[in-house]
Amino acid sequence: MKALAAALVLALSAALPAFAGPCTPSDIVVKFATVVSATDNPKGIAAQIFADRVNREMAGKVCVIVYPDSTLYDDDTVLQAMLQGDVQLAAPSLSKFEAFTKVFRLFDLPFLFTNLAAVSAFEASPAGAKMKNAMLSRGLTGLEFWHSGMKQFSANRPLVWPADAKGLKFRIQPSDVIAAEIRALGAQPQSIAFSDVYSALKTGVVDGQENTWSNIYAQKFYKVQDGITETNHGVLEYLVVTSTDFLNSLPPAIRRQFLSILHQVTVERNAAVTQVEAKSRAAILAAGGHIRQLTPAERAAWVKAMQPVWAEFRADVGPENIAAAQAIDKRLAAQTRGDGE
Ligand code: LMR
């Protein structure tokens, strides 16, 4: 009898498709690919919280499986895979959409946003909200912007003044604006996939990099660099994206609930990012990493060195978008100072 039952189970499981993790045969399976750590990066944390909520609140209808650390796709392959229906969600950084749209170049302009509050306010503005639809004609729908944090520079020698970067090779994301920013320093940009950055820094393929505290900590970049210079020179921002075909294939009530959970997680996790970043910064120090802070004069020199990048991309990005972002940044900075401008 036992043998018969076992044979039956075996025959049944061979006939059914393999359902990973919490998924059951009645679920719409949503694969969510990321390149980051599931525990130390704001995107990794948000993706898992989102998956847990969907799997609990939409059990039997939708099931989300998160694949962190580039275990399913790298950012340079994920969008094509999405269009082919092999993955349903991803949140590449805005620097990685160049093959699909140039509108996100705005976010890579050095020293445009003072902090993440200004980034949030711009994204909520009409100019920012419109950007989510920039890839509709290419079959992709932007769902939500997720923060990662402000970017910092590091290298295998001390970076205090912009001239210290001269002649060095920096790993960059595949973004023409970031490439121009590195060239403006008299340095050489090299685009390398996120999963290969640690070994590229360790083996000297490149000398330096720019990223957020959480990525510098989780990927252990600080261990193979002389130190990290707190430049806050740019933002690392993500777009949660899906294929428009997949989104339209969801029954309306399911789509509504799915997007509503995503929105709630977005609001909650974007509000928590500053804390996640501060924790990573503290963890780097606790692990013996060296952090350099800039004096106002040193910082002003970095701003000046990278300023020409703005003129180079002004037409591409749209002067009206730059003006809108600057106005928001200025207003928020004034509010923070309390002068009520
Ligand atoms: C990078 O490639 O440095 C980042 O885009 C990785 C990430 O997703 O945070």
Side-chain angles (χ1 to χ4, degrees):
M1 192 62 192
K2 254 189 184 167
L4 188 67
L8 211 69
V9 169
L10 211 70
L12 262 177
S13 56
L16 289 172
F19 286 95
C23 305
T24 65
S26 63
D27 282 320
I28 297 166
V29 177
V30 176
K31 295 187 201 163
F32 192 160
T34 85
V35 298
V36 295
S37 145
T39 49
D40 289 310
N41 173 285
K43 169 167 63 184
I45 298 170
Q48 196 51 56
I49 290 175
F50 170 65
D52 292 345
R53 276 199 56 185
V54 169
N55 296 347
R56 202 170 50 241
E57 294 167 37
M58 302 186 77
K61 292 188 275 187
V62 179
C63 168
V64 178
I65 310 167
V66 181
Y67 296 84
D69 290 317
S70 311
T71 44
L72 192 59
Y73 291 104
D74 242 330
D75 281 334
D76 57 352
T77 50
V78 74
L79 297 176
Q80 279 307 333
M82 188 170 277
L83 290 173
Q84 281 156 16
D86 294 333
V87 58
Q88 288 68 40
L89 281 182
S93 95
L94 296 180
S95 313
K96 293 180 174 165
F97 288 94
E98 293 254 300
F100 288 82
T101 176
K102 309 260 189 273
V103 300
F104 298 129
R105 287 184 161 185
L106 172 87
F107 290 86
D108 279 335
L109 290 180
F111 296 105
L112 174 62
F113 293 107
T114 309
N115 53 37
L116 295 179
V119 178
S120 287
F122 175 76
E123 287 168 351
S125 75
K130 199 170 137 205
M131 289 181 173
K132 283 191 205 155
N133 294 328
M135 297 176 291
L136 287 182
S137 64
R138 305 290 303 272
L140 296 174
T141 300
L143 301 176
E144 298 284 353
F145 289 112
W146 281 3
H147 297 330
S148 181
M150 303 300 290
K151 291 188 292 184
Q152 321 300 337
F153 271 118
S154 71
N156 53 12
R157 71 180 194 212
L159 297 177
V160 178
W161 296 95
D164 298 329
K166 205 168 174 186
L168 299 185
K169 261 196 226 159
F170 282 84
R171 177 271 170 171
I172 59 159
Q173 303 179 77
S175 147
D176 286 359
V177 181
I178 301 178
E181 161 192 302
I182 299 298
R183 283 197 202 97
L185 298 172
Q188 203 183 315
Q190 188 166 332
S191 171
I192 294 177
F194 186 61
S195 51
D196 296 332
V197 179
Y198 174 82
S199 93
L201 291 170
K202 190 177 160 112
T203 56
V205 170
V206 286
D207 305 293
Q209 63 85 45
E210 46 135 55
N211 224 309
T212 55
W213 293 116
S214 57
N215 279 338
I216 292 170
Y217 174 64
Q219 303 297 317
K220 304 190 170 38
F221 298 160
Y222 69 96
K223 293 203 172 191
V224 286
Q225 295 280 263
D226 171 83
I228 300 129
T229 304
E230 191 158 24
T231 44
N232 289 317
H233 63 278
V235 291
L236 182 67
E237 192 65 12
Y238 305 123
L239 182 70
V240 183
V241 66
T242 191
S243 102
T244 310
D245 281 351
F246 169 72
L247 195 63
N248 291 342
S249 75
L250 295 176
I254 290 194
R255 185 165 60 225
R256 266 196 306 279
Q257 191 179 1
F258 183 77
L259 293 179
S260 154
I261 295 174
L262 181 66
H263 185 66
Q264 288 165 29
V265 171
T266 299
V267 173
E268 176 193 311
R269 294 317 302 172
N270 276 352
V273 162
T274 307
Q275 243 179 324
V276 177
E277 286 294 294
K279 206 170 134 205
S280 294
R281 187 186 184 282
I284 291 171
L285 284 176
H290 187 64
I291 296 176
R292 293 191 175 82
Q293 286 174 310
L294 298 174
T295 63
E298 288 158 357
R299 188 179 153 80
W302 286 88
V303 175
K304 187 164 172 233
M306 293 194 221
Q307 192 61 39
V309 175
W310 283 42
E312 202 177 326
F313 290 93
R314 187 173 290 279
D316 260 14
V317 165
E320 70 290 355
N321 287 327
I322 298 182
Q326 278 185 301
I328 286 170
D329 195 74
K330 197 166 158 231
R331 176 168 52 77
L332 282 183
Q335 275 170 8
T336 314
R337 284 195 309 270
D339 59 17
E341 231 175 69

